[in-house]
Amino acid sequence: MTDVKQQVNAVRRTLGDRTLEAGQARVVTLSQVYDTGLDDLWDVVTSAERIPRWFLPVSGDLVQGGRFQFEGNAGGTITSCDKPNGYAATWEMGDQISWVEVRLVPEGAGRTRFELEHVAPVAAELWDLYGPAAVGMGWDSGFLGLANYLSGDPAAELDPRVAMAWVATAQGKEFMRLTADAWAAAAIAYGDDPEAARASAGRTYEAYTATE
């Protein structure tokens, strides 16, 4: 298992805004440099055989225009694909739709940055209650899974099917607490009130780690 403090510190987190036809949206962006080449990372994040090794089982047609579904999570349509530089897709859960874009950027020999941008219309009251951690902490878990998988140590891989149980462990709670704090810091840097940002991150942490 990757050291959780090291992992949290390895991720860059930023917030922004975007104007859509439907109104204002929040933009949550995460990125991390991994020790693998561009072509391999592209395969890791697009292959139906490899995605379940670090994220979730996925079904569907993983090509531009194809529909996909993550087991127990979101589905959507792949709206663009620029191999091996990135892709974009809708992110659909129930009647809610948002958009994700993945970008892969070489960072020197054998290293590649994985950047994920999630654009979502968020009601002001929900943002005030939970802040960016509501979306960001879930993606942080995916970045941790990717780091474990790319470590090359089979024992470090965390089976997505038991990830929820891991969250209830001391190490899992530490990871969630640290990521909540990191998103509070990102919200403060974005301009949110510091006290409110920390409070919303705390509520999101409690929601992610609740056992009942």
Side-chain angles (χ1 to χ4, degrees):
M1 170 66 69
T2 299
D3 179 87
V4 294
K5 291 181 180 179
Q6 180 180 334
Q7 171 59 27
V8 171
N9 290 334
V11 177
R12 180 188 301 167
R13 303 167 185 81
T14 59
L15 304 180
D17 295 292
R18 188 167 301 172
T19 301
L20 307 176
E21 290 184 8
Q24 284 295 111
R26 305 284 189 171
V27 182
V28 172
T29 306
L30 307 86
S31 72
Q32 181 174 353
V33 176
Y34 293 98
D35 292 328
T36 193
L38 177 64
D39 290 334
D40 181 60
L41 189 56
W42 172 264
D43 189 63
V44 169
V45 301
T46 61
S47 163
E49 289 74 32
R50 298 181 79 179
I51 291 172
R53 301 281 298 278
W54 63 273
F55 191 55
L56 289 168
V58 62
S59 59
D61 196 9
L62 303 186
V63 298
Q64 185 168 335
R67 293 282 300 176
F68 66 91
Q69 179 64 53
F70 285 110
E71 185 177 296
N73 205 292
T77 298
I78 299 170
T79 56
S80 68
C81 180
D82 177 25
K83 181 181 180 179
N85 303 303
Y87 58 87
T90 62
W91 193 258
E92 304 170 30
M93 296 188 71
D95 61 354
Q96 297 181 337
I97 182 170
S98 53
W99 300 267
V100 296
E101 183 175 351
V102 166
R103 294 180 284 268
L104 305 183
V105 182
E107 292 277 345
R111 306 189 80 215
T112 309
R113 180 174 296 279
F114 175 65
E115 182 173 273
L116 185 144
E117 177 185 271
H118 193 156
V119 180
V122 181
E125 57 271 20
L126 285 178
W127 184 267
D128 291 343
L129 190 60
Y130 295 112
V135 171
M137 285 174 65
W139 287 122
D140 260 301
S141 296
F143 276 58
L144 171 63
L146 188 53
N148 286 335
Y149 174 61
L150 289 173
S151 71
D153 179 5
E157 292 183 32
L158 182 64
D159 188 330
R161 292 171 296 183
V162 300
M164 290 304 295
W166 176 78
V167 169
T169 67
Q171 187 183 44
K173 289 181 178 180
E174 179 188 22
F175 175 74
M176 289 298 177
R177 179 72 267 175
L178 291 171
T179 56
D181 291 345
W183 282 109
I188 293 167
Y190 165 74
D192 285 358
D193 175 76
E195 184 177 351
R198 295 186 187 100
S200 65
R203 286 188 288 270
T204 304
Y205 166 78
E206 294 296 337
Y208 267 92
T209 57
T211 57
E212 296 182 359

